[in-house]
Amino acid sequence: MAATTDPHASESFRIGMLLYDTRYRSITIQIIALVLFMLALGWLVTNTISNLEALGKTFGFGFLWTPAGYDINQQLIEYQNTDTNARAAMLGILNTLLIAVMGCVTATLLGVVAGVLRLSNNWVVARLMTLYVEGFRNVPVLIWILLFAAGINESLPAPNAFRGDNSDASMVLGSMAFTNRGFYVPEPLFSRSLGTLDVNGYFGISLDLILIVLVLVASIWGVRRLAAHATRRQAETGDRPKTFWPSVGLIVLPQVVVLVALGFHLGYPALKGFNFQGGIHMRDSLIALWLALSLYTGAFIAEIVRAGILAVSKGQTEAASALGMRPSWTMRLIVLPQAMRIIIPPLISNYLNLTKNSSLAIAVGYMDATGTLGGITLNQTGREMECLLLLMGFYLIVSLTISVVMNVYNERMKLKER
């Protein structure tokens, strides 16, 4: 049996080994880099404090509890201009999250459809998708936002055009009004509402919504258990039980029971005075921003989807065709699941870009986090350092949350070695 010995084991430690010995050199470099970073950070903080003192300013967040004194047009929670800057900032943050969620969902749907259609054998369809992709991704998103805002304001009728029996405009399906001030759509109401859960007197969360979400989560859990049972039966007997309609029933029926128990009905918008009252009001700035961000980001996602599909071996498609599968089944069951492993990582970057691009909302007057905390609050209080730090922290938390969620999903979609 051969014995191995370390030639450096018998050497005594010397200072020079921190630089010339490979066992210590990497640790030495990391410590030096950390010290330099801490020194630079300390200099930056000290210099900032000195400059603030020279300007006669102090550092603190007490301004958040002073009255905001300005209005916010799109409100997800109740707000008045006498409320605090903190509540105004929260409303702006909620508006940012709203446009980010709406934009990511719509951009994904548009991108997947456009990416698949761009590979279509139909020449006209494929070229139209190429025109969409190249047209949107090669023009700055700010221009698209302004263009959509101008289009809504100039092309849609004013609310007074809906007045009278012989009005110039009419509501769609008798329940939705598309005006140059925004879209008015029916709102869900509950005649036997459970009320709201008050959160420290700051805002309320609908107990009806909580119940609906809990029932939906339980239904999804039931569907997953049903799928697992079908997989076990397939492994034992070779036959897989049909689960589509039972799964639909597990999702739909509990929701119907809950909605009936809560007395669900719709509240329709109606023209009263100079504007529509009732229903959900989606302002023109929100619609313009949503459409522009969705179509712009969807063009990038389309290219990612197309690249992911082309990366899947053509033999997979040929094998599916040899088994008699329809082209739509081949795309849905064979190609797209494999392409998702390639699509997801760049998809994360596009979700992050969409969220950060929403800060351009101020161009059309949509009051998001940048417009409230980083705009009016900053200008009125003169607390630029505190406002910008809070704004940076918010975008950092949102971006990291999106990255973590998508990375977890990516890990689940990865090919697992057996």
Side-chain angles (χ1 to χ4, degrees):
M1 180 177 180
T4 57
T5 57
D6 185 355
H8 302 290
S10 58
E11 292 185 31
S12 59
F13 178 77
R14 301 185 309 277
I15 294 296
M17 295 171 69
L18 292 175
L19 187 60
Y20 298 110
D21 194 318
T22 55
R23 293 175 298 173
Y24 305 112
R25 186 161 51 205
S26 62
I27 299 175
T28 304
I29 293 173
Q30 291 179 58
I31 292 175
I32 292 174
L34 181 61
V35 170
L36 290 175
F37 172 76
M38 296 300 292
L39 288 174
L41 185 63
W43 174 83
L44 185 63
V45 172
T46 305
N47 191 46
T48 302
I49 293 174
S50 300
N51 288 334
L52 288 175
E53 289 177 348
L55 294 171
K57 292 184 176 181
T58 58
F59 185 84
F61 296 95
F63 71 94
L64 289 173
W65 312 113
T66 59
Y70 60 89
D71 294 319
I72 297 178
N73 47 25
Q74 190 75 43
Q75 299 181 5
L76 291 179
I77 58 175
E78 292 184 4
Y79 171 81
Q80 296 177 347
N81 56 15
T82 54
D83 288 330
T84 62
N85 282 305
R87 192 173 183 84
M90 173 173 286
L91 189 52
I93 287 171
L94 290 176
N95 284 344
T96 296
L97 295 177
L98 173 67
I99 195 67
V101 172
M102 291 171 61
C104 286
V105 172
T106 314
T108 303
L109 295 175
L110 285 172
V112 171
V113 172
V116 172
L117 291 181
R118 201 175 176 194
L119 296 171
S120 171
N121 293 325
N122 188 310
W123 188 88
V124 175
V125 172
R127 294 303 176 274
L128 284 176
M129 290 302 104
T130 301
L131 181 65
Y132 157 65
V133 170
E134 299 301 336
F136 270 89
R137 72 174 184 170
N138 289 306
V139 175
V141 65
L142 178 59
I143 294 178
W144 285 117
I145 293 172
L146 296 174
L147 185 64
F148 276 106
I152 291 173
N153 292 328
E154 298 297 332
S155 62
L156 293 180
N160 58 18
F162 293 80
R163 194 184 306 280
D165 295 332
N166 297 319
S167 58
D168 296 331
S170 58
M171 299 179 70
V172 177
L173 301 177
S175 60
M176 294 179 286
F178 300 145
T179 76
N180 60 0
R181 296 182 185 176
F183 297 171
Y184 297 84
V185 297
E187 63 176 333
L189 297 174
F190 301 97
S191 57
R192 293 182 289 274
S193 174
L194 300 176
T196 58
L197 176 65
D198 186 66
V199 182
N200 199 27
Y202 206 67
F203 62 89
I205 302 176
S206 171
L207 290 175
D208 307 323
L209 179 62
I210 293 176
L211 178 60
I212 291 172
V213 171
L214 289 177
V215 171
L216 181 61
V217 171
S219 298
I220 293 174
W221 179 81
V223 170
R224 292 175 64 90
R225 296 291 300 172
L226 181 64
H229 171 72
T231 302
R232 283 198 303 273
R233 284 289 302 275
Q234 185 179 17
E236 294 170 358
T237 65
D239 295 327
R240 185 177 182 84
K242 295 182 179 179
T243 58
F244 178 76
W245 288 113
S247 299
V248 172
L250 280 174
I251 294 291
V252 175
L253 291 180
Q255 291 294 328
V256 171
V257 172
V258 170
L259 293 177
V260 171
L262 293 175
F264 172 78
H265 62 282
L266 293 175
Y268 297 99
L271 185 62
K272 295 179 181 178
F274 296 103
N275 211 341
F276 281 91
Q277 303 294 328
I280 297 176
H281 182 198
M282 302 171 69
R283 291 190 173 272
D284 54 333
S285 55
L286 170 64
I287 300 297
L289 187 65
W290 177 34
L291 291 177
L293 290 177
S294 299
L295 289 166
Y296 180 79
T297 309
F300 289 91
I301 293 177
E303 284 300 90
I304 295 171
V305 172
R306 186 174 70 93
I309 291 173
L310 290 177
V312 177
S313 170
K314 196 174 181 180
Q316 299 283 323
T317 305
E318 293 172 349
S321 300
L323 291 173
M325 296 183 71
R326 299 174 185 171
S328 60
W329 290 9
T330 303
M331 179 60 69
R332 184 165 57 88
L333 301 176
I334 304 296
V335 177
L336 277 181
Q338 297 182 72
M340 287 297 288
R341 300 181 183 122
I342 304 167
I343 292 171
I344 291 174
L347 199 61
I348 300 173
S349 298
N350 279 278
Y351 286 166
L352 298 179
N353 287 336
L354 187 147
T355 303
K356 290 179 286 189
N357 284 338
S358 69
S359 61
L360 296 171
I362 193 67
V364 288
Y366 181 73
M367 299 297 285
D368 68 335
T370 305
T372 54
L373 183 62
I376 300 178
T377 298
L378 185 152
N379 289 324
Q380 287 185 345
T381 61
R383 297 285 185 173
E384 64 277 0
M385 183 62 66
E386 294 89 338
C387 288
L388 293 179
L389 286 176
L390 288 174
L391 203 56
M392 290 168 62
F394 162 68
Y395 279 110
L396 182 64
I397 291 172
V398 171
S399 298
L400 291 178
T401 303
I402 293 174
S403 296
V404 169
V405 171
M406 292 301 295
N407 281 322
V408 169
Y409 182 62
N410 189 35
E411 285 294 322
R412 296 189 62 180
M413 294 296 293
K414 273 185 178 178
L415 187 64
K416 295 178 176 58
E417 299 289 341
R418 297 179 185 275

